[in-house]
Amino acid sequence: MTIWFMTSNMGKVTEAREHFSKFGIPVRQFEFEAVEPQEDDLQKVALSKIEQAIPHLPAEGDMILVEDAGLFVESLNGFPGVYSSYALSTIGVHGILKLMSHLKSEDIVQDASLRKAEFRAVAILYKDGETFIGEGVCPGRIAHNPTEGHGFGFDPIFIPADLDENGEALEVGEMGHVSTHGTPFGGISLEKKQEFSHRRRAISELLHLIGNLG
Ligand code: IMP
């Protein structure tokens, strides 16, 4: 029994291996090129990719994993959202900052609120005709300037909301137990990012569901 992770990103495969090894389930990269559907919802995108891949499953009893994520900026009506990859490769992080350049306030709390955004991830696992869905959200805000160094994608401009002692995200701008102190993901280690990560939350939820499979 193998989990075939449909992704071109080996970093994601490594992360998933770490999670699923607890169940003794091997994770392998599945290099299947699915057609990206024109959907406005991460879950629909991920489900469509799974459906396209099912007929190509290497062996009966194997599983397919798909994980889709995006950055949703409140003041931009959720843009780039499901178009995050496209937005990154066209306007990039500087384009997002430009679209938001008029949104600033001297008041720190108000400024944070104007620049609210969240990362969302959906992880879907297909097994024997059934699909299990895990979702993860990481609320935060968009920085005024990029911080490079760590991570990928929109990490240079995304500042996660602080977490309370139970690991739950607080309101954007509130001070909490776990904090990057205003530093975007691009300025912190991957290990620290994992504490906040939408992807980690989505896969954890999935693991919880699989754990109940018996
Ligand atoms: P995908 O699910 O990897 O295709 O994510 C779509 C796009 O969202 C990526 O190309 C990134 O631009 C962005 N994205 C998703 N997750 C993250 C993250 O953890 N940090 C930064 N950007 C991300």
Side-chain angles (χ1 to χ4, degrees), residues 7 9 12 36 42 49 67-71 81-86 88 119-120 151-156 158 185 193 197-199:
T7 177
N9 184 336
K12 285 188 178 186
E36 189 89 22
L42 284 178
K49 288 184 183 170
E67 184 265 295
D68 260 287
L71 175 69
V82 292
Y83 309 107
S84 291
S85 298
Y86 182 71
L88 190 73
F119 272 121
R120 292 182 206 157
F152 67 97
F154 295 104
D155 281 346
F158 183 82
F185 276 158
K193 179 183 168 182
S197 170
H198 44 298
R199 186 167 301 107

Side-chain angles (χ1 to χ4, degrees), residues 17 29 33 40 42 49 52 66 72 79 82 105 108 121 123 133 144-145 147 165 169 176-177 181 193 195 204 207:
R17 268 190 191 136
Q29 188 179 21
E33 285 279 327
D40 58 359
L42 284 178
K49 288 184 183 170
Q52 293 177 58
V66 168
F72 295 74
F79 182 82
V82 292
S105 166
I108 295 173
I133 303 176
H144 287 280
N145 299 296
T147 303
E165 56 280 2
H177 196 71
H181 307 287
K193 179 183 168 182
E195 294 185 55
S204 295
L207 283 171

Side-chain angles (χ1 to χ4, degrees), residues 38-118:
Q38 296 297 303
E39 295 283 4
D40 58 359
D41 179 291
L42 284 178
Q43 193 169 309
K44 288 184 191 159
V45 173
L47 277 171
S48 160
K49 288 184 183 170
I50 288 249
E51 276 162 21
Q52 293 177 58
I54 289 169
H56 306 276
L57 199 59
E60 213 172 301
D62 281 355
M63 297 173 259
I64 307 172
L65 176 66
V66 168
E67 184 265 295
D68 260 287
L71 175 69
F72 295 74
V73 180
E74 197 173 283
S75 65
L76 303 179
N77 294 323
F79 182 82
V82 292
Y83 309 107
S84 291
S85 298
Y86 182 71
L88 190 73
S89 61
T90 49
I91 62 171
V93 294
H94 290 280
I96 299 289
L97 291 180
K98 207 166 168 189
L99 288 174
M100 298 180 68
S101 56
H102 61 293
L103 297 167
K104 54 173 80 144
S105 166
E106 292 302 316
D107 182 279
I108 295 173
V109 176
Q110 201 185 351
D111 191 72
S113 162
L114 284 173
R115 304 181 70 83
K116 266 189 187 175
E118 63 186 33

Side-chain angles (χ1 to χ4, degrees), residues 166-180:
N166 300 316
E168 295 300 325
L170 295 166
E171 268 300 306
V172 171
E174 263 181 10
M175 308 268 265
H177 196 71
V178 180
S179 175
T180 69

